[in-house]
Amino acid sequence: PLGLFPGLLLGIDPDADYPTAEISLPPGAVLALYTDGLVEHPGTDIDDAIADLADQLAAADPGDLDALADNLIHHAEHTAPRHDDIALLLMRPQNHP
């Protein structure tokens, strides 16, 4: 949606340039940053797995980020065997007067 294309994976080339963009997150939004281990497993289309994660996030109660993270990881671990590490960071913007 932002017209940005991903660059090289982090750590491959220390001199690589990565596109950046500033976006505003609406109140109540949750930003999810995750590694491929959360969504990728053999025999599943990665786009379908990311869409499933997006559906889970859209249906979740964002009030408790710890519980949300636990639920997302629990779902990933039970949908298919994992062969990769999982890292997940959830952030919610704070309103500052």
Side-chain angles (χ1 to χ4, degrees):
L2 297 174
L4 296 176
F5 298 97
L8 291 174
L9 297 175
L10 292 176
I12 289 179
D13 179 358
D15 296 323
D17 289 323
Y18 295 93
T20 61
E22 289 188 29
I23 59 170
S24 296
L25 297 176
V30 173
L31 176 64
L33 304 174
Y34 56 91
T35 60
D36 61 341
L38 184 66
V39 293
E40 190 174 62
H41 52 88
T44 300
D45 182 272
I46 188 73
D47 292 330
D48 291 342
I50 292 171
D52 181 47
L53 175 62
D55 290 344
Q56 292 175 60
L57 284 165
D61 175 6
D64 184 348
L65 294 184
D66 288 332
L68 176 55
D70 288 344
N71 288 339
L72 293 173
I73 291 171
H74 177 68
H75 176 78
E77 290 173 341
H78 285 87
T79 55
R82 297 288 145 186
H83 302 287
D84 199 355
D85 293 338
I86 293 174
L88 173 64
L89 174 65
L90 300 175
M91 296 181 282
R92 182 180 33 244
Q94 298 293 314
N95 293 332
H96 295 285

